[in-house]
Amino acid sequence: RPATVSSSTMKLTIESDDSIFASGDITKDDLYNLAFFKIPAGTTAIRLEVLPDDRLPGRGPGMAYFEGPKGDFFLGEFTASLETAKGLSPLKLSHTTETCAKNNFGGQNVSAQLALDGDPQTGWSCSDQIGERNVAVFNLSEPLPAEGSLNISLRFGRHYPCSLGRFRISTTTQDGEVVAALTPPVIEELLLRRAEELSPEENHQLRQYFLMQAPELNEQAAKIRELQKRPSTKTTLVFRERPVDNPRPTYWHHRGEFLQPRELVKPNVPDFLPPLANQAAAEPRLEFANWLVAPENPLTARVQVNRAWSAFFGKGLVTTEGDFGLQGNPPSHPELLDWLALDFIEQGQSIKKLQRQLVMSSTYQQSSRTTENQLKLDPQNRWLSKANRIRLDAEQVRDLVLTASGLLNRQQFGPPVFPPQPEGANETAYGGATWNTSVGPDRFRRGIYTFLKRTTPYAMFNTFDAPSGEFCLAQRETSNTPLQALSLLNDTVILEAAEAMGEQLASTPVTDAERIDLIFKRCLNRSASSEEQIRVRQFVQQNRQRFAAGELKASTLLPNIFSRRSIPNDTETPPVETGKPEPRMDEVAAWAATARVILNLDETIMRN
């Protein structure tokens, strides 16, 4: 059991089984120093066990978590010295053995012997047995001449941080060369005891281990080991609270220069806000989370209420949603903001109650129509004399189109999907990623399930001002560009939705006026006016004539339907599937063209 342990950067903890567990920040050059008291004279070898642990990436035994394999380690140097009454003297280590040696990078060999050559670029690693126990034994050239303190230094690192996460040191006075073996410590302990001292359970344990090692039973033992392997599962790294006695040092940098750390900064909250209840809490992040939502903290409730107000009214009472500081704008209605924040706290910070309160207000239920006098007195609608017209966010635009067409797949959860987008939209992706368009119901999942790649965001979302994911944004900018209008007319998603609406409208046994009312209600949430009825009917009739005359081809306007049904030409009636004749493709195409026009309206994607 170590008497003392220390590290250049990390915290080393001695576990109950005498192993050492490392935590904290690893670097590309970490040094562990260990001291063991009263090592007996005659000691001939030192054993290093590298141990798996569920707290480590990939179960360890190393701490590598990026660049290299998760759980990898690289021991570049292993040195030992003996401290006696006569002073400190280095120990000469000779031949070594190990149970595994595998290098993850390059063609150079790795071994425990290379950890003794004085070159930290060469050493020992077990990269092909991540999550497994392995052993290296370092034999002394001469047995220890006297009892004393054994000091061991281990140096880790390469071009990426890869220190050991859990390990154990043992010594032996066995004569002759000591060879590395994977005998479990519990079996070693049993073998050291006399046979009559063993219980029946311990005898059974020894017998089982012997049978698993017997050469005659190799085939059966291999099957058992295969069944005993841990199942492979998907994992992810998660935050773990650092020990209170090992905080990460954070500095104020002189003039912002990262090479000039000056003043050590400790975690705290601004003086003008309520203090933390327990500055020295064992879990500082939990303490900070409790402080954020505490009723005494006025800031969180104000920010939350302001964000909800912005979602419903187009802009917040504080228009700079991401900046409530001195450089942000003051609230347009400070008393209202205070009242809403206090009420939000009293209602248990219920988002549902807050949203209900906002949408039930007479302010929200105003019309978006405006008068010349209102525009003159309040051009920015700062005083909320009318409802703001708000364009939907990018994801909502796509969801609206799919909902109106009846294509939306409301399934929740699951991996990301790849909805259709124009060819070539993903050609500039970093790393040459391909966009394998989803088929079936996944093609029509909600926008939040769309796969996002930072270097090539989904084309339609990018057009409608969705952020790329490079930065965390509290507030999206909204633009109005011709490209948005072109997308609403020609994007692949829009075309598929228009085809579906065309099929549904053409197969509905009602009048043209009723079909027009139906498409208006689906897309605009209202009935068509008499003037709109006339103009849309004229448009539908013109398209019927153009398709009948061959000026337009239904197969061109309805590629997905023709591909799905393998219809040879645009004048043939498709096969009967439901027992009733389906509409001719010319009729479907005429209504699909009409759906494209309605989906392209400004009112479709604006909240009036």
Side-chain angles (χ1 to χ4, degrees):
R1 184 176 182 83
T4 63
V5 292
S6 64
S7 167
S8 52
T9 58
M10 288 182 291
K11 177 180 176 63
L12 301 182
T13 304
I14 303 173
E15 303 283 291
S16 59
D17 63 352
D18 299 336
S19 66
I20 300 160
F21 182 77
S23 60
D25 297 327
I26 58 177
T27 70
K28 298 178 182 179
D29 187 12
D30 283 330
L31 183 66
Y32 295 175
N33 294 309
L34 320 172
F36 303 84
F37 293 166
K38 295 184 179 180
I39 301 300
T43 295
T44 57
I46 303 170
R47 182 177 68 186
L48 169 63
E49 289 178 85
V50 296
L51 304 170
D53 193 290
D54 288 336
R55 295 170 289 181
L56 299 172
R59 298 191 68 242
M63 300 179 71
Y65 61 93
F66 69 97
E67 293 191 74
K70 288 181 173 62
D72 190 20
F73 76 93
F74 188 83
L75 174 63
E77 286 296 303
F78 183 97
T79 59
S81 59
L82 181 67
E83 186 175 0
T84 63
K86 296 181 179 180
L88 185 67
S89 57
L91 296 176
K92 186 175 181 181
L93 303 171
S94 57
H95 48 283
T96 66
T97 55
E98 65 280 319
T99 55
C100 169
K102 176 66 176 178
N103 190 6
N104 183 63
F105 286 99
Q108 68 185 49
N109 293 326
V110 290
S111 67
Q113 188 70 40
L114 291 173
L116 306 177
D117 62 0
D119 182 3
Q121 301 300 315
T122 61
W124 179 48
S125 180
C126 304
S127 62
D128 64 340
Q129 292 196 15
I130 300 298
E132 302 292 337
R133 171 180 176 263
N134 273 291
V135 171
V137 171
F138 301 85
N139 286 268
L140 276 66
S141 298
E142 299 288 341
L144 289 187
E147 180 186 280
S149 296
L150 177 65
N151 298 322
I152 294 178
S153 294
L154 301 95
R155 188 174 181 181
F156 302 95
R158 51 197 318 174
H159 62 279
Y160 60 91
C162 51
S163 304
L164 260 179
R166 189 174 182 185
F167 60 98
R168 180 166 46 211
I169 298 291
S170 307
T171 61
T172 184
T173 55
Q174 175 184 323
D175 293 333
E177 181 181 357
V178 184
V179 179
L182 283 176
T183 308
V186 64
I187 299 297
E188 288 182 334
E189 194 273 330
L190 294 178
L191 289 172
L192 290 172
R193 291 159 57 186
R194 297 169 61 87
E196 56 269 21
E197 296 175 353
L198 299 176
S199 67
E201 293 78 10
E202 290 170 335
N203 267 313
H204 176 72
Q205 194 173 3
L206 277 176
R207 178 181 173 81
Q208 288 287 101
Y209 184 76
F210 169 77
L211 293 175
M212 289 293 290
Q213 312 305 315
E216 299 86 350
L217 300 174
N218 277 344
E219 184 178 346
Q220 291 82 358
K223 294 178 181 179
I224 294 174
R225 292 191 186 97
E226 186 65 28
L227 292 171
Q228 290 175 338
K229 282 185 177 179
R230 293 170 62 94
S232 58
T233 57
K234 292 184 178 180
T235 61
T236 184
L237 295 178
V238 295
F239 278 113
R240 184 172 66 243
E241 192 73 66
R242 291 174 66 99
V244 178
D245 59 347
N246 186 40
R248 178 179 289 111
T250 304
Y251 297 92
W252 171 79
H253 295 90
H254 180 60
R255 300 179 64 85
E257 173 55 57
F258 75 96
L259 294 176
Q260 298 188 52
R262 294 282 182 90
E263 180 183 348
L264 183 65
V265 179
K266 294 185 178 180
N268 209 333
V269 297
D271 291 338
F272 65 88
L273 291 172
L276 292 167
N278 183 8
Q279 184 72 41
E283 298 184 1
R285 289 171 59 239
L286 178 60
E287 178 66 22
F288 179 63
N290 288 329
W291 174 87
L292 278 175
V293 296
E296 297 79 20
N297 182 1
L299 183 59
T300 304
R302 281 190 172 93
V303 171
Q304 189 64 42
V305 163
N306 191 67
R307 294 190 68 179
W309 187 279
S310 175
F312 287 106
F313 292 91
K315 56 184 176 182
L317 296 170
V318 177
T319 55
T320 51
E321 295 173 44
D323 191 348
F324 267 58
L326 293 176
Q327 297 185 28
N329 295 333
S332 58
H333 300 70
E335 294 85 358
L336 175 59
L337 181 63
D338 287 349
W339 183 86
L340 285 170
L342 286 171
D343 188 67
F344 180 62
I345 293 173
E346 291 173 0
Q347 295 292 339
Q349 301 191 8
S350 169
I351 302 296
K352 186 174 182 179
K353 290 180 180 178
L354 172 62
Q355 292 178 342
R356 178 182 176 86
Q357 186 178 57
L358 294 180
V359 299
M360 294 295 289
S361 67
S362 56
T363 306
Y364 178 77
Q365 295 178 25
Q366 293 181 108
S367 169
S368 57
R369 289 192 175 90
T370 188
T371 65
E372 187 175 335
N373 189 47
Q374 283 177 322
L375 284 175
K376 182 179 179 181
L377 295 175
D378 188 17
Q380 301 298 321
N381 198 31
R382 180 179 174 85
W383 308 118
L384 306 171
S385 59
K386 64 180 180 65
N388 285 324
R389 297 179 72 249
I390 306 170
R391 199 208 71 205
L392 300 179
D393 286 335
E395 297 87 346
Q396 295 172 326
V397 170
R398 181 174 177 275
D399 290 355
L400 179 146
V401 171
L402 293 177
T403 303
S405 64
L407 294 175
L408 182 66
N409 176 10
R410 298 180 183 273
Q411 176 191 345
Q412 292 182 312
F413 315 119
V417 296
F418 299 81
Q421 63 175 338
E423 291 185 11
N426 209 49
E427 288 181 354
T428 59
Y430 179 79
T434 56
W435 187 273
N436 297 317
T437 303
S438 299
V439 295
D442 279 351
R443 191 181 184 93
F444 307 113
R445 296 287 303 276
R446 289 183 59 198
I448 59 173
Y449 296 107
T450 300
F451 178 82
L452 294 180
K453 187 172 179 63
R454 179 171 50 83
T455 52
T456 52
Y458 183 55
M460 184 180 184
F461 290 175
N462 193 41
T463 301
F464 285 91
D465 308 307
S468 64
E470 295 172 281
F471 306 101
C472 180
L473 298 179
Q475 185 176 10
R476 291 189 184 187
E477 297 297 328
T478 302
S479 66
N480 189 355
T481 68
L483 190 57
Q484 293 170 0
L486 289 171
S487 294
L488 285 176
L489 194 64
N490 299 310
D491 189 89
T492 311
V493 173
I494 305 297
L495 294 178
E496 291 190 1
E499 287 185 38
M501 293 177 74
E503 274 192 290
Q504 297 161 20
L505 292 168
S507 60
T508 304
V510 294
T511 64
D512 285 354
E514 290 174 312
R515 290 188 180 114
I516 293 170
D517 242 11
L518 179 60
I519 193 173
F520 265 67
K521 287 178 180 178
R522 283 191 173 190
C523 298
L524 309 180
N525 201 30
R526 66 175 178 83
S527 299
S529 66
S530 56
E531 182 181 353
E532 289 168 336
Q533 277 278 2
I534 294 171
R535 297 185 65 179
V536 174
R537 278 204 300 270
Q538 289 175 347
F539 181 77
V540 173
Q541 192 58 36
Q542 288 172 0
N543 278 310
R544 285 170 174 160
Q545 294 171 358
R546 297 176 72 187
F547 283 116
E551 184 181 343
L552 294 177
K553 293 285 186 180
S555 57
T556 303
L557 193 66
L558 309 172
N560 293 292
I561 294 178
F562 274 79
S563 174
R564 185 170 71 246
R565 299 185 177 182
S566 302
I567 300 173
N569 60 67
D570 59 337
T571 59
E572 182 178 332
T573 301
V576 177
E577 298 176 356
T578 60
K580 62 179 181 179
E582 296 193 19
R584 297 171 64 87
M585 286 296 100
D586 285 356
E587 185 70 5
V588 173
W591 285 106
T594 306
R596 288 177 67 188
V597 171
I598 305 302
L599 290 172
N600 189 246
L601 293 176
D602 179 70
E603 187 180 344
T604 301
I605 61 170
M606 297 292 292
R607 194 203 65 192
N608 286 285

